[in-house]
């Protein structure tokens, strides 16, 4: 990128006007979410405002505080409300230090605003970073909820299992907050028959990431009192279940595909565009 000092300053005026209009449009969305005390604080500290905007808008493009200046992320956050676990949440709750490549991979949310609006009360939109179940457990092992409940139960049966070491791929996922309707008391094949053409079953890592992250961000415990099957399989070929969330934390289990239980439903997510 060439400097504006290299040419006539007047040549840059049209582009500056377009840039300014884009910034104002983005800030207008931020303004809707900002309280008056915060706004007045920025008004009274112009140097700090200039510094934080410079860090966000000039290379390197990795400022953790303003990653949501991306209009796509802002729009998704505005639609989903508390059912949004984005870049800032991953940084805050999982200690993620996103690279430029990772931010670029998450630049576009692969769900239309119409789909997000339809799912805003039933799903969580999650920015998944490559963390295994073992990684997540290590990062939250010392965290307890206000009632002294653990986030993840102290289980060691899966320590050496491949599914627990799988970090998965970076990307946006739209995860249903409840089991698929009428999916309990059914075996794996019967449960799969309940999915629409727009749905699929997420793996155990994505589910643990979503459940733990959402609980840390909002306090809401998903799948309390119920397991849901995932697409991950144990070394014996049985699908891995997550959920239940008793007082000692989120549990992982596994069971044969032929099992039918009243406490075992099916996890689902929307397929991306």
């Amino acid at each position: 990128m060439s400097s504006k000092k290299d040419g006539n300053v007047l040549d840059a005026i049209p582009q500056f006007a377009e840039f300014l209009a884009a910034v104002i449009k983005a800030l207008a969305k931020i303004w809707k979410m900002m309280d008056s005390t915060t706004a007045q604080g920025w008004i009274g500290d112009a140097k700090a405002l200039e510094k934080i905007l410079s860090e966000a808008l000039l290379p390197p493009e990795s400022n953790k505080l303003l990653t949501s200046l991306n209009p796509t992320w802002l729009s998704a956050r505005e639609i989903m409300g508390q059912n949004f676990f984005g870049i800032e949440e991953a940084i805050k709750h999982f200690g993620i230090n996103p690279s430029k490549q990772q931010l670029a991979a998450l630049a576009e949310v692969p769900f239309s605003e119409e789909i997000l609006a339809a799912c805003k009360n039933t799903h969580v939109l999650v920015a998944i970073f490559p963390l295994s179940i073992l990684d997540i457990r290590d990062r939250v092992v010392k965290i307890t909820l206000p009632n002294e409940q653990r986030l993840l139960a102290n289980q060691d049966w899966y320590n050496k299992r491949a599914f627990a070491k799988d970090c998965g791929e970076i990307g946006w996922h739209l995860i249903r907050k409840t089991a698929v309707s009428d999916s309990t008391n059914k075996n794996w094949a019967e449960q799969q028959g309940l999915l629409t053409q727009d749905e699929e079953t997420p793996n155990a890592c994505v589910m643990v990431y979503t459940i733990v992250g959402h609980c840390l961000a909002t306090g809401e415990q998903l799948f309390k009192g119920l397991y849901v099957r995932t697409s991950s399989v144990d070394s014996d070929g049985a699908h891995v279940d997550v959920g239940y969330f008793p007082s000692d934390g989120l549990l992982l289990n596994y069971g044969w595909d032929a099992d039918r239980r009243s406490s075992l439903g099916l996890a689902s997510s929307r397929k991306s565009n």
Side-chain angles (χ1 to χ4, degrees), residues 23-36:
V23 170
I24 291 174
K25 183 177 180 180
L27 289 176
K29 292 185 178 181
I30 297 175
W31 175 260
K32 293 179 181 179
M33 299 181 287
M34 187 178 295
D35 58 72
S36 59

Side-chain angles (χ1 to χ4, degrees), residues 6-273:
D6 295 338
N8 192 321
V9 175
L10 293 177
D11 294 337
I13 289 178
Q15 186 179 24
F16 174 74
E18 292 178 4
F19 171 77
L20 188 60
V23 170
I24 291 174
K25 183 177 180 180
L27 289 176
K29 292 185 178 181
I30 297 175
W31 175 260
K32 293 179 181 179
M33 299 181 287
M34 187 178 295
D35 58 72
S36 59
T37 301
T38 302
Q40 193 59 45
W42 287 119
I43 292 171
D45 196 349
K47 288 186 177 181
L49 181 59
E50 179 182 352
K51 180 176 183 296
I52 204 166
L53 286 174
S54 296
E55 292 175 349
L57 299 175
L58 298 174
E61 305 163 9
S62 59
N63 184 287
K64 298 177 182 179
L65 298 178
L66 289 179
T67 51
S68 282
L69 279 178
N70 180 317
T72 303
W73 298 337
L74 278 172
S75 177
R77 182 186 293 278
E78 185 175 341
I79 293 171
M80 298 301 295
Q82 73 167 8
N83 291 326
F84 180 90
F85 191 90
I87 314 300
E88 291 86 353
E89 287 79 9
I91 292 169
K92 178 179 179 180
H93 298 295
F94 288 143
I96 297 295
N97 183 21
S99 66
K100 291 177 64 175
Q101 290 76 17
Q102 288 176 326
L103 292 177
L106 293 168
E108 295 297 327
V109 176
F111 303 99
S112 68
E113 292 187 353
E114 290 74 20
I115 289 176
L116 294 181
C119 297
K120 66 179 182 180
N121 296 319
T122 57
H123 291 65
V124 181
L125 180 62
V126 190
I128 298 287
F129 284 86
L131 287 181
S132 70
I133 292 174
L134 297 179
D135 290 333
I136 296 170
R137 188 181 66 184
D138 288 345
R139 295 182 185 216
V140 304
V141 66
K142 295 182 180 180
I143 300 176
T144 56
L145 302 176
N147 59 1
E148 299 302 316
Q149 180 179 358
R150 294 171 61 95
L151 277 166
L152 273 173
N154 186 20
Q155 298 175 285
D156 58 9
W157 70 267
Y158 56 79
N159 284 356
K160 296 183 179 180
R161 307 298 172 94
F163 77 85
K165 299 177 182 179
D166 179 20
C167 292
E169 297 180 359
I170 191 167
W172 289 98
H173 292 255
L174 196 52
I175 305 297
R176 180 177 288 277
K177 296 173 64 175
T178 57
V180 172
S181 179
D182 198 32
S183 62
T184 56
N185 291 309
K186 289 182 171 60
N187 62 34
W188 170 257
E190 293 166 341
Q191 289 177 334
Q192 289 298 295
L194 298 174
L195 295 175
T196 70
Q197 62 180 6
D198 298 320
E199 295 178 303
E200 59 189 355
T201 304
N203 64 39
C205 182
V206 167
M207 290 303 296
V208 171
Y209 186 111
T210 301
I211 296 169
V212 171
H214 184 70
C215 185
L216 285 170
T218 69
E220 183 179 14
Q221 298 176 15
L222 303 179
F223 305 104
K224 191 171 179 64
L226 180 73
Y227 284 107
V228 284
R229 276 189 174 112
T230 72
S231 63
S232 298
V233 293
D234 188 29
S235 55
D236 295 328
H239 278 88
V240 178
D241 319 323
V242 303
Y244 214 68
F245 235 135
S247 58
D248 52 350
L250 181 69
L251 292 169
L252 279 76
N253 203 346
Y254 62 93
W256 300 114
D257 288 359
D259 289 350
R260 295 184 179 91
R261 287 185 278 147
S262 61
S263 61
L264 179 59
L266 180 69
S268 74
S269 61
R270 286 285 304 222
K271 292 180 181 178
S272 57
N273 296 337

